[in-house]
Amino acid sequence: MKRTLSVLILALCIFLTSCKAEEEKTSLSFYAMDTIMSIDTYGENSESASLAKERVLSLEKLFSVTDENSELFALNESGSEELGKETLELIKYALDMSEKTDGALDPTIYPVLREWGFTVGEYKIPDSETLSALLKNVGTDKVHINENSVSLDSGVMLDLGAVAKGYASEECYKILKENNLSSALINLGGNIRLLGSRPDGNPWRIGVADPLSPSDNLGILSVTDCAVVTSGNYQRYFEENGKTYGHIIDPKTGFPADNDLLSVTVISDSGTLCDALSTALFVMGSEKAEQFWRDNKNFEAVFVLKDNTVHVTEEIYGSFSLENKDFELKIIQ
Ligand code: ADP
Ligand code: MG
């Protein structure tokens, strides 16, 4: 009897705790950086989510490539500009990652991306002369930094679209942490940044979309206090004559990346790194990308391939459950 009673009391406590956690969830959704964002916080300090949102909006004002009032727009227009701390930091980061990824990530790709119409949604396939002329202005050696001022060679323009959301997610994470939150899910248009574990102490369950049917999950990652970012050409693309053209450009060809990959998900303790790498690894194709992981090992990854295999790095393998049985799971070592 005594035992039954203590089991009942325990069950009631768990029930009440989970109710409490449910009650204290605050969801803040908004539109920024051309996508839908949400910040779910748990606990009493819900106004910190508003602070994080304000931070994202202020970063958007700096990094937007289309907003005529942004720092990046001013730099692209004038070719030389004194920049604030954040824009400078993110440009330096993107240039550094460009070097590390052998040019797979390249913020100077913007004039090519614009020619394809991806920035404004007026899509077209550029002719090869136009593309090769534009590619002459692509390359990180055409960007010069002197203390706070950045100057660009003639015809060079920068785009931080491949890293901005990851950077913003990391800033949100810092704000929530500084405000003593211990459990939060930040989702900036699919750039996920997790603070701690779920309020009940369990890992978060983050879906990896099926690139062939993006509203379905191909698998689930059970993870804690990390960033999870996916890149693929299934998110933003256009079709012409039965062929699909996606928004991630291979800087070597000027064409949308088209290799054996359908998507790349990167998991690490930095949202900025995840964002930069998911784009870069997607450009590389699986073989080069997997070798990049072996050489660096400062992140984990899930690669979805066109041959219906899912390649998962060793460390994250145990945290990934494959939901779609049409795909075969392989471990990368
Ligand atoms: P999303 O922004 O959809 O989350 P990504 O992080 O992969 O996806 O970034 C893709 C964006 O990055 C493109 O929309 C474009 O602005 C820019 N971009 C495309 N190709 C490259 C590249 N090779 N290097 C750097 N930036 C790129
Ligand atoms: Mg990216």
Side-chain angles (χ1 to χ4, degrees):
M1 181 61 197
K2 214 170 164 190
R3 216 171 128 217
T4 320
L5 194 66
S6 42
V7 169
L8 275 175
I9 290 173
L10 184 69
L12 188 69
C13 285
I14 293 172
F15 176 73
L16 289 176
T17 315
S18 60
C19 284
K20 194 164 166 267
E22 280 300 312
E23 272 170 27
E24 289 175 5
K25 175 178 170 183
T26 311
S27 282
L28 183 65
S29 293
F30 54 101
Y31 193 85
M33 297 185 174
D34 219 11
T35 189
I36 295 167
M37 305 191 159
S38 66
I39 301 175
D40 295 347
T41 52
Y42 298 82
E44 277 156 28
N45 196 349
S46 60
E47 64 276 15
S48 56
S50 307
L51 294 176
K53 173 189 162 182
E54 290 312 315
R55 180 73 175 142
V56 176
L57 296 178
S58 69
L59 291 173
E60 180 183 28
K61 285 207 179 91
L62 299 173
F63 303 154
S64 169
V65 78
T66 48
D67 176 353
E68 293 181 9
N69 298 313
S70 82
E71 278 195 346
L72 195 66
F73 192 93
L75 173 64
N76 285 339
E77 276 289 292
S78 68
S80 178
E81 206 70 35
E82 290 259 331
L83 298 175
K85 185 173 134 287
E86 294 93 342
T87 314
L88 193 65
E89 183 185 15
L90 195 53
I91 289 176
K92 281 184 180 168
Y93 190 88
L95 295 174
D96 179 48
M97 286 307 293
S98 184
E99 196 181 311
K100 290 195 168 111
T101 59
D102 190 23
L105 185 87
D106 194 329
T108 66
I109 198 66
Y110 184 60
V112 175
L113 196 89
R114 196 169 63 161
E115 190 62 27
W116 281 91
F118 283 111
T119 40
V120 285
E122 288 162 14
Y123 306 122
K124 64 165 185 289
I125 304 170
D127 61 63
S128 55
E129 292 91 73
T130 312
L131 266 189
S132 49
L134 289 173
L135 279 173
K136 288 199 177 78
N137 295 328
V138 172
T140 54
D141 57 329
K142 297 163 181 68
V143 185
H144 313 281
I145 301 180
N146 187 0
E147 294 186 358
N148 296 338
S149 88
V150 176
S151 64
L152 308 173
D153 287 354
S154 165
V156 176
M157 287 179 160
L158 300 182
D159 170 26
L160 297 172
V163 286
K165 280 176 277 177
Y167 180 88
S169 77
E170 207 53 35
E171 288 292 300
C172 290
Y173 175 84
K174 278 189 214 156
I175 289 171
L176 299 186
K177 210 171 167 164
E178 278 162 15
N179 281 276
N180 297 321
L181 284 183
S182 54
S183 183
L185 191 158
I186 301 153
N187 181 354
L188 309 189
N191 282 244
I192 310 278
R193 185 57 169 109
L194 305 169
L195 171 62
S197 57
R198 274 180 10 185
D200 62 5
N202 285 314
W204 301 94
R205 288 167 53 79
I206 305 299
V208 174
D210 178 350
L212 304 173
S213 171
S215 54
D216 297 322
N217 282 334
L218 185 143
I220 307 278
L221 281 163
S222 297
V223 283
T224 301
D225 206 56
C226 63
V228 181
V229 178
T230 300
S231 281
N233 263 342
Y234 63 91
Q235 290 146 324
R236 199 167 295 201
Y237 63 90
F238 71 97
E239 279 176 3
E240 201 163 305
N241 302 325
K243 204 172 153 33
T244 317
Y245 298 92
H247 71 140
I248 299 175
I249 306 285
D250 181 347
K252 297 210 162 53
T253 62
F255 266 76
D258 187 11
N259 50 48
D260 61 347
L261 289 171
L262 288 172
S263 77
V264 178
T265 299
V266 178
I267 305 104
S268 85
D269 58 8
S270 158
T272 327
L273 180 73
C274 284
D275 201 1
L277 281 183
S278 64
T279 309
L281 299 178
F282 185 78
V283 170
M284 288 182 196
S286 74
E287 203 176 316
K288 212 172 160 199
E290 290 172 18
Q291 191 52 45
F292 187 89
W293 171 75
R294 287 186 199 95
D295 294 342
N296 291 279
K297 296 239 175 143
N298 55 342
F299 65 97
E300 303 300 327
V302 177
F303 299 100
V304 184
L305 276 76
K306 287 179 181 163
D307 69 358
N308 276 31
T309 58
V310 183
H311 298 193
V312 182
T313 56
E314 226 174 350
E315 293 288 312
I316 205 79
Y317 179 76
S319 310
F320 181 74
S321 79
L322 186 67
E323 306 278 296
N324 185 334
K325 302 300 175 211
D326 294 338
F327 285 82
E328 187 196 335
L329 199 57
K330 291 189 176 166
I331 309 180
I332 312 166
Q333 284 170 317

